Amino acid sequence: MALDLRIVIGRLLLAIGLQLVVYGFLHDGRAASMDIAWGSGITLVGAIFHLLPRLVKTA
Amino acid sequence: MGRLVLAPIDYSILLTYTVFVLGIGWLLKEKTKTSEDFFHSGHGVPAWIAGLAFLSANLGAQEVMGMAASGAKYGIMTSHFYWAGAVPAMLFVGVFMMPFYYGSKARSVPEYLRLRFDEKTRGLNAISFAAMTVFSSGVSLYALGLLLSALLGWGFDVSILTAASIVLVYVFFGGLTSAIYNEVLQFFLIVAGFLPLVFAGLRDVGGWGGLVERLNGVAVKQGFAAGTYTQLWQNTANPAANPMGIEWFGLAMGLGFVLSFGYWCTDFLVVQRAMAAESMDAARRTPLIAAVPKMIFPALVIVPGLIAIALTLGGNTSGFKLPAKPDGTLNYDMTIPMMLAHYFPPGLLGLGLTALLASFMSGMAGNVTAFNTVFTYDIYGAYIRPNAPETHYLKVGRLTTVAGIVASILAAYAALRFNNIMDLLQLVFAFVNAPLFATFLLGMFWKRATGHGAFSGLLLGTIAAAAHHGVTLPAHSVAGLKGGWLGMVTTYPSEMAQNFWTAIWAFSVCFVATFVISLATAPHPDESLRGLVYSLTDKPRSDGRGLRPELVAICILVAVTALNIIFW
């Protein structure tokens, strides 16, 4: 394929997840903790996708 | 309902997605040099990407919002669209039909019809499909414009022109590859955006147990048996005993067999994703890979509907309530937007809206890529300028993309003036897809089927669908677009029951007519049918990588049967 889609998915999820986490930390209350919790999950999945090509190559 | 007010973080997430989408189109521009790249992704798409795109091409926002609305209206019986319809159909197309689509080297579904039958059958299918895709893409755009103006107060013109421009840029430059990439991104956005919604909603109703308890109360209030909203088959002996108003035969035959198989096995919009796969094995695995998330998707798109109706009619302390229409009935279509507004804080709200917008745009892009391929190969290349240089078709494909987008915008404005256009679209699908499945079934598995038989069968099947629609009417409807325009003979308990039986009639008449007329006309020689008909084609051999498609299909079939039994 022309672009490695795993990296594209990873970067998009990282970009969205990190924004949610940072926004959550800058605010208070239950709403902010929801952003932090789900933002962290999305960031983690994004990081895994981003690293996947390297991990698979290493394996 | 009140309008949503977005925070800067919500706009920032929307912008992030837009930058990625446009960036993909721009980066793929350099890699899209031939018509093969533009229309078929160079036949280089790995199975997992093609599989997720196969699933997502059907996951437009109308589907996402429509399934949640149906979940609220009909309960878990809406899962029949997945567990009795889509998943078995996906297994069938992967195991039995993909070898013919991929192995015949046809570039489109209409082209397969030309190879198997004749030019007139291809022409009929190409023209009806091209018109349907533009129409469908326009309705998608119209729905997006309505949603954004109702939810956010954005202007209808600005909304549809912005979305259409974004789709135009990425399809124009990157062709099918760009559309496929964005469909896969949309899949992840839907999961990321809807999973928190399901969790928050379930927590509100006291978990799955609390949801079932509330829905039992709602069912009794509506005059049904207690478990009606959480049982799939138990209340289908009598159409009056379930909110869908359909009995088990109409459900299994109309939805499970004719409509679902008709859509998933013959609609080029989804089949194109599998035909772009890198090998025969990858093409066969594409629908099988798609079937796994499809099996789980009711948890993401139907459960929110169940939660919404349980909270609205079963009482709640959190203040959630579905809005009512001017006639006093509940506005089920607002299930997803209302739940996003109720449960999501700034940030997650932006993510949820981005997922919805991505669905609208990728649904539209899917239609546009299918349209440009069928128009370029099956209409322009067949009837206007055959045998032109390959670069010419690439240019025509790009120009057709622009024309398709412009036609979609015009269709969206036409929809604005015609308030029943959604109903009309569903009707056209039932008229065209249901008989087409009979044509394919006979064409692929009965070598005696002929071109004259297929063409006449398709026409007669469509006429039968129209005639059935003309003499039937759903309960509490007036004669017109909903049916009964030939003089009413039968009344169905619901519109869905009428649609299922329209499809059954269309399929049956096409099947019988194709069969009889084929027997009365000269057969095709066996030599011309090799690779196109089951009995004259060598069985595909697996490449040895991973499990055999047949084995994967059996595992998925066992799992989907188990789901039907668990929620019986």
Side-chain angles (χ1 to χ4, degrees):
Chain A
M1 289 293 281
L3 288 171
D4 192 327
L5 191 53
R6 292 168 298 181
I7 294 178
V8 179
I9 295 166
R11 287 184 183 169
L12 176 65
L13 294 180
L14 272 172
I16 291 174
L18 286 173
Q19 285 184 67
L20 288 173
V21 172
V22 171
Y23 182 83
F25 275 117
L26 293 176
H27 292 78
D28 298 321
R30 190 171 157 263
S33 59
M34 237 176 126
D35 278 340
I36 294 171
W38 288 100
S40 307
I42 293 167
T43 306
L44 183 68
V45 176
I48 293 170
F49 266 97
H50 187 70
L51 293 173
L52 211 54
R54 266 183 264 175
L55 293 174
V56 172
K57 217 178 272 176
T58 312
Chain B
M1 62 164 286
R3 280 182 182 156
L4 295 179
V5 179
L6 297 188
I9 177 75
D10 301 317
Y11 285 109
S12 172
I13 289 173
L14 270 170
L15 189 67
T16 304
Y17 167 73
T18 309
V19 168
F20 266 79
V21 167
L22 294 177
I24 286 172
W26 184 253
L27 287 171
L28 288 174
K29 189 182 83 162
E30 292 304 312
K31 320 256 180 183
T32 310
K33 291 186 172 12
T34 64
S35 61
E36 173 81 0
D37 296 333
F38 189 78
F39 296 117
H40 307 292
S41 291
H43 285 295
V45 183
W48 74 273
I49 295 178
L52 292 182
F54 187 92
L55 171 76
S56 303
N58 165 259
L59 208 61
Q62 282 152 278
E63 162 94 2
V64 172
M65 289 172 58
M67 282 297 154
S70 293
K73 199 171 174 182
Y74 305 122
I76 209 168
M77 279 183 80
T78 309
S79 301
H80 283 305
F81 280 93
Y82 295 74
W83 298 339
V87 172
M90 286 169 159
L91 303 184
F92 185 80
V93 71
V95 173
F96 294 107
M97 291 177 78
M98 205 44 74
F100 304 117
Y101 281 136
Y102 199 88
S104 67
K105 307 274 181 231
R107 293 170 297 184
S108 65
V109 166
E111 189 167 72
Y112 172 83
L113 288 174
R114 179 183 68 80
L115 296 170
R116 172 61 186 87
F117 294 116
D118 53 22
E119 193 58 58
K120 63 179 178 297
T121 312
R122 183 248 282 256
L124 178 64
N125 180 241
I127 291 166
S128 60
F129 180 78
M132 251 179 18
T133 46
V134 167
F135 195 25
S136 177
S137 160
V139 169
S140 190
L141 208 48
Y142 157 77
L144 171 120
L146 281 191
L147 182 77
L148 291 186
S149 52
L151 274 185
L152 305 173
W154 294 359
F156 184 83
D157 300 337
V158 175
S159 303
I160 67 166
L161 291 177
T162 308
S165 307
I166 294 171
V167 173
L168 173 64
V169 168
Y170 75 75
V171 176
F172 185 87
F173 288 127
L176 181 63
T177 313
S178 213
I180 286 178
Y181 270 41
N182 282 301
E183 280 156 8
V184 176
L185 290 188
Q186 174 223 339
F187 170 83
F188 285 96
L189 285 175
I190 288 277
V191 175
F194 281 39
L195 203 57
L197 192 66
V198 175
F199 268 87
L202 278 177
R203 200 161 61 173
D204 201 10
V205 292
W208 179 254
L211 178 62
V212 171
E213 203 175 302
R214 278 166 191 263
L215 287 173
N216 286 347
V218 171
V220 173
K221 261 191 211 166
Q222 308 270 2
F224 298 116
T228 308
Y229 279 92
T230 48
Q231 291 163 344
L232 285 172
W233 294 99
Q234 228 168 92
N235 307 292
T236 55
N238 173 8
N242 63 75
M244 225 179 226
I246 184 91
E247 82 297 342
W248 67 269
F249 180 78
L251 202 56
M253 183 70 185
L255 172 67
F257 184 60
V258 178
L259 278 176
S260 299
F261 278 65
Y263 176 76
W264 291 99
C265 299
T266 68
D267 198 307
F268 185 55
L269 171 65
V270 288
V271 172
Q272 186 179 26
R273 274 71 195 147
M275 288 168 85
E278 60 192 355
S279 65
M280 168 70 91
D281 256 29
R284 294 184 76 201
R285 287 193 180 115
T286 293
L288 306 183
I289 289 169
V292 177
K294 190 77 181 172
M295 204 160 44
I296 305 164
F297 251 66
L300 280 183
V301 295
I302 295 174
V303 170
L306 299 180
I307 295 168
I309 201 68
L311 290 173
T312 303
L313 298 182
N316 69 90
T317 50
S318 71
F320 178 86
K321 198 167 170 45
L322 279 176
K325 289 182 187 171
D327 64 4
T329 57
L330 289 176
N331 189 351
Y332 298 107
D333 291 337
M334 292 308 285
T335 300
I336 288 290
M338 289 299 295
M339 287 189 76
L340 290 178
H342 184 75
Y343 288 112
F344 277 1
L348 277 179
L349 181 61
L351 176 59
L353 280 176
T354 304
L356 272 186
L357 286 184
S359 304
F360 274 115
M361 288 198 283
S362 81
M364 185 184 175
N367 277 302
V368 170
T369 49
F371 169 76
N372 66 24
T373 308
V374 166
F375 180 84
T376 305
Y377 286 137
D378 297 296
I379 296 174
Y380 184 84
Y383 305 111
I384 299 170
R385 195 169 161 197
N387 306 318
E390 193 263 346
T391 47
H392 179 74
Y393 290 127
L394 174 61
K395 206 178 286 174
V396 172
R398 287 204 157 117
L399 288 174
T400 309
T401 303
V402 179
I405 298 268
V406 171
S408 303
I409 294 171
L410 295 177
Y413 279 108
L416 201 56
R417 290 165 182 270
F418 185 51
N419 64 2
N420 275 330
I421 205 154
M422 296 263 195
D423 296 334
L424 191 64
L425 181 67
Q426 288 307 317
L427 206 60
V428 172
F429 275 128
F431 282 17
V432 175
N433 278 349
L436 191 60
F437 178 55
T439 308
F440 271 89
L441 210 54
L442 286 168
M444 285 183 171
F445 298 99
W446 188 47
K447 65 177 185 175
R448 187 64 183 77
T450 66
H452 294 319
F455 183 77
S456 319
L458 271 178
L459 277 183
L460 289 171
T462 305
I463 291 169
H468 178 265
H469 185 258
V471 296
T472 59
L473 200 61
H476 317 299
S477 303
V478 285
L481 254 184
K482 303 259 180 200
W485 42 273
L486 282 177
M488 205 183 67
V489 174
T490 310
T491 305
Y492 286 104
S494 68
E495 213 168 300
M496 204 168 273
Q498 184 199 28
N499 278 345
F500 291 171
W501 278 99
T502 301
I504 292 171
W505 273 98
F507 173 87
S508 307
V509 168
C510 177
F511 193 94
V512 172
T514 306
F515 185 82
V516 171
I517 296 167
S518 291
L519 287 178
T521 48
H524 291 279
D526 281 4
E527 259 327 293
S528 68
L529 299 178
R530 291 204 191 284
L532 301 168
V533 177
Y534 191 76
S535 60
L536 298 172
T537 304
D538 295 332
K539 302 296 161 280
R541 287 190 185 161
S542 175
D543 60 11
R545 287 189 294 162
L547 293 171
R548 284 178 60 84
E550 290 83 354
L551 190 61
V552 176
I554 289 171
C555 295
I556 297 170
L557 197 59
V558 169
V560 83
T561 308
L563 285 170
N564 274 282
I565 293 169
I566 291 168
F567 293 98
W568 186 267

